[in-house]
Amino acid sequence: MEAYLFYVMAAVAVIAGVYLIFERNPVYCALYLILTLISIAVLYLLLAAQFIAAVQIIVYAGAIMVLFLFVIMLLNVNVKEEEKDALPFQKIPALAMGVLLLSAIGIILKSKVTLGKKGEYTGDYLASVGNTELIGSLLFTRYLLPFEIVSVLLFAAAIGAIILAKRKL
């Protein structure tokens, strides 16, 4: 059952990512990004990383996306929609992704997926060390280079988005 949930949520993340790339309206782009982030959070739950899943939803899907929407509205980026053509094209994929997301949430709540798998980081080990301390330790030892690369990429993306949005500085 975990494999099916993985494939469903991975498909939702990829489809939402594709819609994110091809959508012209920045507000819809932000909504597709939120769907992608929530799908990735479910994948983190499948990997028994409850803390990262919670941080993914609270920080990225919550705080940062609200900030993005605020900046989009502050910069007054107006992309005129084709009102007649936009909704029929988006209704069917939106309904399909909504049903998939609700079914995935139902499966997670009903099953014991959140207990985690057996492996290097078992539940007992996490309870003794602490989930947050283990994540911090891994981020600053084993995964330091990818962590720094991601932070530089996010910084460059933020600067690029500001330059693209505000053409007259």
Side-chain angles (χ1 to χ4, degrees), residues 41-121:
V42 172
L43 294 178
Y44 283 139
L45 283 177
L46 289 173
L47 294 172
Q50 293 91 356
F51 178 76
I52 294 179
V55 167
Q56 176 88 6
I57 290 174
I58 293 170
V59 174
Y60 292 110
I64 291 180
M65 290 313 300
V66 168
L67 181 66
F68 276 6
L69 286 174
F70 178 72
V71 169
I72 288 169
M73 292 177 183
L74 183 69
L75 293 175
N76 198 15
V77 179
N78 286 330
V79 176
K80 294 190 177 187
E81 291 183 49
E82 300 168 12
E83 294 177 10
K84 294 179 182 176
D85 296 333
L87 287 178
F89 177 68
Q90 295 174 348
K91 277 185 181 177
I92 294 173
L95 285 174
M97 286 193 280
V99 168
L100 287 176
L101 185 63
L102 287 178
S103 63
I105 290 171
I107 289 171
I108 288 172
L109 293 176
K110 192 172 183 178
S111 69
K112 300 187 179 204
V113 171
T114 57
L115 294 179
K117 295 180 181 178
K118 301 283 181 192
E120 184 179 0
Y121 302 109

Side-chain angles (χ1 to χ4, degrees), residues 126-154:
L126 289 175
S128 67
V129 174
N131 205 358
T132 309
E133 184 178 337
L134 180 65
I135 290 169
S137 169
L138 287 174
L139 274 180
F140 289 105
T141 55
R142 189 186 301 177
Y143 299 108
L144 181 62
L145 182 62
F147 178 69
E148 293 298 327
I149 290 172
V150 166
S151 27
V152 169
L153 285 175
L154 287 174

